[in-house]
Amino acid sequence: MKAIRKQMMIIILCFVTAVMAAGCADKHGIPVKTVGIVMPSKSIERWSRDGDYLRSSFEAKGYHVEMRFSEDILRQIDDIQVLIADDVDVLIIASVDGAALSRTLEDALIKKIPVISYDRLIMNTDAVDCYVSFDNYRVGALQGQYIVDALHPDQTGDTYNIELVAGDPADNNARFFFNGAYDVLKPYIESGRFIVPSGKTSFDKVATPAWSMDIAFKNMQNTLASYYSDGKRLDAVMCSNDRMGLGVLNAIHSDYLGTSLPIVTGQDADEAALQSIMDGQLAMTVYKNVRNEADVAVSVAEAILEGKTLDDSLLGELPAECSFDKTSYDNGVQKVPSFLLVPEVIDAKNIESLIETGLFTLDENGKYIVPVS
Ligand code: BGC
């Protein structure tokens, strides 16, 4: 009897050890895979939403999720190191500084942990398996085109004063947005239809560290003081995202001498931006459905874990419309295979279409469109 009990104990012990070694298992005894997700910030609305959507989409498919919101690059390096040490099965990273992760990701490469660069491209590394984002150049092109269509200089024959406000130079997206917008505006600037009184027409001159709303506000105040204090009219500000657009509008309200409100562009459909559009302030935002972006990232992660080849043959299996691009996103070491979702323009005319996504609704007073909480 004693011998049988001892044998049973040994069998149980072996079983427990085996399960522990394999990590958690589902109800069929299959080991549960762990995904490590690293987002740049919890306090910025869009990244907090991305984090929620990624978590719920992975959990719905039976994954265990380890989620970090880094806030700064040193903490992000730490976060990634911890997840690599934990042997996660796949890493999804939206970087704080795309060029600062090469060394950290060498360990992921050594451990063969696949890495998906989420929304922002991670630079100077061959550890990245693929990139899931929106068509970033198109985001900028939509902003530039919105300004052209609103001012329609070809039809009026007039000249217009515009300014440019771009994003964080540490974020590879920021240049894509700027270039997309600038390529549309450039012919009008060259023909003299659009004048940029500050003379700041290069990305380096208009980039805004950390996408900061405060810096965008102060920079706009300085521009107004230096180039518009004679009462010159400002017709449009091509601004790369909503937070900076709202910062620019604050500066216009406090320091601009003119009477008509310039066209100010944005991106992200942040709650405050939607409110601003409905109040007749921000002219437009570029909406990027990040629920779809998260779902595409989940499908691509599964494809990688199943050993599938990442190419356009995957497009039919993805849960949202994407293009496959293997040339545009060069991170300095490799051209990263990219799945790019489709951005769209939202302004006062079509803002209610957001409700059809199921992610937005009318607030309790029926006045504003707000994200479904
Ligand atoms: C994202 C934008 C966002 C910006 C600031 C970019 O990488 O693509 O959607 O507005 O970061 O958070």
Side-chain angles (χ1 to χ4, degrees):
M1 192 64 187
K2 244 185 170 177
I4 294 176
R5 222 184 276 146
K6 198 173 164 193
Q7 254 181 1
M8 292 270 290
M9 286 295 287
I10 293 171
I11 291 169
I12 290 170
L13 252 169
C14 289
F15 180 73
V16 171
T17 319
V19 169
M20 278 175 67
C24 313
D26 68 9
K27 61 179 181 212
H28 309 293
I30 300 168
V32 169
K33 294 224 184 308
T34 298
V35 51
I37 301 174
V38 188
M39 291 290 110
S41 167
K42 178 84 186 157
S43 57
I44 294 181
E45 193 178 320
R46 84 143 283 188
W47 301 114
S48 159
R49 267 192 233 161
D50 286 88
D52 290 347
Y53 293 147
L54 282 164
R55 176 188 285 286
S56 60
S57 298
F58 272 110
E59 285 180 349
K61 297 221 166 191
Y63 287 80
H64 172 66
V65 172
E66 282 194 39
M67 169 90 73
R68 310 276 159 138
F69 289 94
S70 306
E71 310 299 340
D72 65 61
I73 187 60
L74 292 178
R75 166 118 178 254
Q76 185 158 70
I77 288 172
D78 256 24
D79 286 338
I80 296 170
Q81 280 169 343
V82 170
L83 294 172
I84 294 174
D86 283 355
D87 287 322
V88 295
D89 294 284
V90 56
L91 272 168
I92 313 276
I93 303 171
S95 54
V96 172
D97 178 343
L101 296 177
S102 333
R103 167 67 205 89
T104 312
L105 290 179
E106 276 172 26
D107 295 337
L109 205 55
I110 291 166
K111 286 194 159 185
K112 299 198 167 53
I113 299 175
V115 176
I116 297 180
S117 192
Y118 184 81
D119 199 85
R120 297 173 169 178
L121 189 64
I122 303 174
M123 308 302 287
N124 309 325
T125 172
D126 51 2
V128 172
D129 292 78
C130 86
Y131 181 44
V132 172
S133 191
F134 278 80
D135 182 337
N136 297 303
Y137 180 86
R138 173 121 186 93
V139 169
L142 291 174
Q143 294 166 331
Q145 193 60 48
Y146 194 89
I147 292 176
V148 171
D149 292 345
L151 300 176
H152 45 85
D154 287 336
Q155 286 157 38
T156 64
D158 284 342
T159 58
Y160 297 92
N161 296 325
I162 69 166
E163 296 293 338
L164 311 167
V165 176
D168 185 357
D171 177 354
N172 186 61
N173 286 354
R175 266 172 214 280
F176 273 79
F177 300 146
F178 178 83
N179 290 342
Y182 195 73
D183 285 351
V184 173
L185 299 171
K186 194 172 162 202
Y188 298 91
I189 295 173
E190 284 179 350
S191 70
R193 285 273 172 250
F194 286 170
I195 296 164
V196 184
S198 71
K200 294 179 189 160
T201 54
S202 68
F203 175 78
D204 294 336
K205 292 223 167 75
V206 295
T208 312
W211 294 93
S212 160
M213 185 175 178
D214 283 351
I215 299 176
F217 169 73
K218 289 192 186 111
N219 287 349
M220 195 68 220
Q221 278 189 315
N222 290 339
T223 300
L224 291 172
S226 309
Y227 307 99
Y228 293 83
S229 59
D230 57 357
K232 197 180 283 109
R233 205 182 61 221
L234 173 60
D235 296 296
V237 185
M238 189 299 295
C239 203
S240 288
N241 86 346
D242 287 347
R243 282 161 57 83
M244 298 193 308
L246 297 183
V248 161
L249 277 167
N250 288 343
I252 286 169
H253 284 299
S254 67
D255 292 47
Y256 177 51
L257 303 177
T259 47
S260 60
L261 191 69
I263 293 153
V264 180
T265 63
Q267 164 182 200
D268 287 335
D270 282 349
E271 186 170 347
L274 296 182
Q275 186 168 330
S276 179
I277 291 174
M278 295 182 91
D279 286 340
Q281 297 291 306
L282 193 71
M284 61 86 84
T285 185
V286 176
Y287 176 54
K288 304 193 296 189
N289 183 327
V290 293
R291 160 104 258 170
N292 285 345
E293 189 177 11
D295 287 345
V296 168
V298 174
S299 297
V300 172
E302 290 202 299
I304 295 176
L305 292 171
E306 284 163 17
K308 293 188 179 160
T309 310
L310 298 182
D311 58 24
D312 53 6
S313 65
L314 222 57
L315 291 177
E317 294 174 28
L318 298 179
E321 188 189 347
C322 283
S323 58
F324 178 71
D325 184 332
K326 50 182 183 185
T327 53
S328 304
Y329 288 93
D330 187 336
N331 79 348
V333 172
Q334 52 159 334
K335 289 195 168 116
V336 183
S338 306
F339 294 94
L340 304 174
L341 291 99
V342 185
E344 55 191 292
V345 168
I346 291 293
D347 67 3
K349 290 197 285 301
N350 69 349
I351 196 163
E352 291 192 357
S353 66
L354 285 175
I355 295 176
E356 289 155 28
T357 64
L359 303 172
F360 294 85
T361 183
L362 274 180
D363 70 354
E364 59 214 26
N365 303 318
K367 184 166 182 213
Y368 292 117
I369 287 168
V370 293
V372 173
S373 46

